[in-house]
Amino acid sequence: MTVIAQQPRIRPSLLVGELIEPRVVQPSAGYSRGVTVTDLGLPRLRGTLAHAPAPVSDRPDDPRLVDRFGRVATDLRVSLTDRCNLRCTYCMPAKGLDWTPTQQLLTDDEIVRLVRIGVGQLGITVIRFTGGEPTLRKSLTAIVRRVAGLLPRPEISLTTNGIGLARQARALAAAGVDRLNVSLDTLIPKRFERITRRNRLTDVLDGMAAARAAGLTPVKVNAVLLRGVNDDEAVPLLRYCLGAGYELRFIEQMPLDAQHGWQRDEMITAAEILERLQTAFRLTPDPAERGGAPAERWLVDGGPETVGVIASVTRPFCGDCDRTRLTGDGQLRTCLFARGETDLRALLRGGASDDEIADVWRGAMWVKAAGHGIDEPGFLQPERPMSAIGG
Ligand code: SAM
Ligand code: SF4
């Protein structure tokens, strides 16, 4: 049935010139309800499709979230809140941000409905709840339980700073969380406080242990190295994770901070991370299939333990991307770095049917850009920071 999915994967390097994301969603013919598409940084486009540019008519009749480059999105990231109890310097300013007002956030029912549409109609198989800090959403466990009850049951994971886990890990596991990622950039309390502007290292370490005890294994650990701050901790962090049975992945710092302070030459690159690790460990490429996973993995000292590096900037994996994203206020994003968003909340609250929403979702994903374009001369950082998009 699917022509597009059988096309060879196109690497981003072959797609220079394709990096600008089209601004208008293309629901299927006959759809007349109001659709709002935002091209961030420019005025909002509002109105019905009657006022939109001519539709793209080349989308195949495929129920899944296919795009023009042969990718199929099966992994849905759902941001549950933009609030956070830390203030990581590479993510948020010290005073926090203007949080999204509650009435603009999707309700639990709205979230579950969109996830149900994704799972039931669009071929989504993996749901990752994130934020902001998802454990701050009081109804997190209830949302997880409802999503775990969907058929087909999606795999459910969580990205968290770990602070809430000592209290919540068992309930989350019982509700249906299968896996989780905890962020940990340093093992030194003073540095933790410098990076996150909060004195909570012990809470994070306790939270990770609680997740492990609750069977949420393997606990994956995300670490961002910052030049002159914690870039000497690659080896200690890996030693710690190996000892505790956690799976460590380093993430290259990306231009997604609210302050727009990211500088390419300040970033610790994947090559530097590997160089530091190789002073203490023998790393060999993990032969396991990578699929759409963002992390390149290496066996540590012959394995079976591994370490991963998510080199979003220096070794982008956009050609294999299988993600679609939903912000806390119900905006569909095709990519972390997308400059446009599609307002699913307006459809939900305007009385659209499941089929209509699914059609809009398909249309938006069809025109997903080939790559994030960070290294392109015209790159513009998204208006919304990582914490508001959902990391
Ligand atoms: N608050 C949760 C946490 O910290 O895990 C979930 C949201 S956070 C935005 C998700 C992940 O994004 C974290 O692992 C964090 O370290 C990472 N992150 C945030 N800002 C980043 C940036 N500018 N570059 C790379 N990773 C970033
Ligand atoms: Fe909060 Fe996560 Fe951003 Fe840190 S990275 S400020 S924990 S949302």
Side-chain angles (χ1 to χ4, degrees):
M1 170 177 63
T2 309
V3 176
I4 198 80
Q6 292 164 355
Q7 289 176 352
R9 288 280 164 90
I10 303 172
R11 306 301 311 185
S13 55
L14 300 177
L15 294 166
V16 174
E18 289 283 359
L19 295 170
I20 307 301
E21 178 135 6
R23 286 168 50 189
V24 177
V25 175
Q26 304 299 341
S28 64
Y31 186 78
S32 60
R33 213 175 282 277
V35 174
T36 301
V37 179
T38 310
D39 187 351
L40 296 169
L42 295 172
R44 280 197 150 216
L45 297 176
R46 282 192 188 277
T48 65
L49 285 179
H51 304 110
V56 176
S57 56
D58 59 344
R59 190 187 181 282
D61 184 17
D62 190 317
R64 300 171 306 167
L65 295 173
V66 296
D67 72 24
R68 295 170 297 165
F69 304 106
R71 297 170 296 191
V72 185
T74 53
D75 180 328
L76 171 60
R77 310 258 144 164
V78 182
S79 174
L80 294 179
T81 176
D82 54 350
R83 290 169 189 262
C84 193
N85 41 10
L86 296 183
R87 297 284 184 274
C88 303
T89 53
Y90 50 79
C91 183
M92 277 195 201
K95 63 176 180 21
L97 295 163
D98 292 333
W99 313 126
T100 306
T102 309
Q103 66 277 16
Q104 288 178 25
L105 286 177
L106 293 186
T107 63
D108 293 1
D109 286 349
E110 288 170 335
I111 290 168
V112 174
R113 181 172 170 206
L114 288 178
V115 173
R116 183 167 46 72
I117 293 169
V119 168
Q121 301 202 32
L122 303 172
I124 296 294
T125 57
V126 179
I127 308 294
R128 175 171 294 276
F129 293 112
T130 179
E133 179 44 44
T135 57
L136 292 184
R137 183 146 179 155
K138 290 194 173 56
S139 53
L140 171 63
T141 308
I143 293 173
V144 168
R145 192 176 303 112
R146 290 174 67 182
V147 167
L150 296 175
L151 290 174
R153 185 210 193 273
E155 186 181 312
I156 302 173
S157 56
L158 186 71
T159 301
T160 169
N161 62 27
I163 289 176
L165 288 179
R167 202 166 35 85
Q168 297 182 39
R170 280 172 62 149
L172 287 169
V177 169
D178 299 302
R179 293 186 293 116
L180 52 77
N181 292 33
V182 182
S183 304
L184 175 71
D185 303 327
T186 177
L187 294 162
I188 301 170
K190 276 279 159 228
R191 282 191 187 172
F192 186 91
E193 198 170 343
R194 178 174 170 197
I195 294 171
T196 67
R197 303 185 178 104
R198 298 289 186 272
N199 181 14
R200 307 295 298 266
L201 176 61
T202 309
D203 296 325
V204 175
L205 299 180
D206 289 350
M208 291 161 66
R212 185 184 53 199
L216 294 169
T217 52
V219 173
K220 291 190 181 172
V221 175
N222 293 348
V224 177
L225 294 184
L226 306 168
R227 198 172 296 285
V229 179
N230 63 341
D231 56 329
D232 57 351
E233 280 194 78
V235 169
L237 279 167
L238 182 52
R239 281 222 171 90
Y240 177 80
C241 289
L242 291 174
Y246 306 143
E247 207 176 297
L248 177 63
R249 307 117 47 85
F250 292 95
I251 308 178
E252 279 181 345
Q253 191 186 353
M254 293 180 275
L256 286 168
D257 55 315
Q259 312 87 301
H260 289 222
W262 181 87
Q263 286 181 320
R264 179 76 156 80
D265 51 4
E266 277 297 300
M267 182 189 75
I268 302 287
T269 63
E272 287 177 275
I273 294 164
L274 292 171
E275 199 178 299
R276 284 161 168 71
L277 292 175
Q278 280 167 328
T279 61
F281 302 100
R282 186 169 54 84
L283 302 184
T284 46
D286 182 355
E289 178 77 19
R290 182 177 174 191
E296 278 184 77
R297 298 203 309 183
W298 281 265
L299 298 177
V300 180
D301 292 336
E305 291 86 1
T306 61
V307 63
V309 180
I310 302 181
S312 316
V313 180
T314 60
R315 302 186 202 179
F317 37 86
C318 307
D320 289 321
C321 181
D322 60 1
R323 310 251 165 103
T324 180
R325 293 174 178 276
L326 204 52
T327 64
D329 57 352
Q331 306 300 306
L332 169 63
R333 293 180 69 95
T334 57
C335 171
L336 266 178
F337 293 92
R339 307 256 327 142
E341 296 181 340
T342 302
D343 192 351
L344 296 189
R345 187 189 61 199
L347 293 180
L348 285 168
R349 296 184 183 176
S353 69
D354 286 2
D355 287 348
E356 287 168 334
I357 291 170
D359 254 354
V360 170
W361 201 330
R362 289 186 189 104
M365 291 304 292
W366 175 244
V367 295
K368 172 170 168 143
H372 57 48
I374 291 176
D375 275 338
E376 298 304 311
F379 173 74
L380 285 173
Q381 181 171 339
E383 284 297 309
R384 292 225 223 194
M386 180 88 128
S387 58
I389 296 169

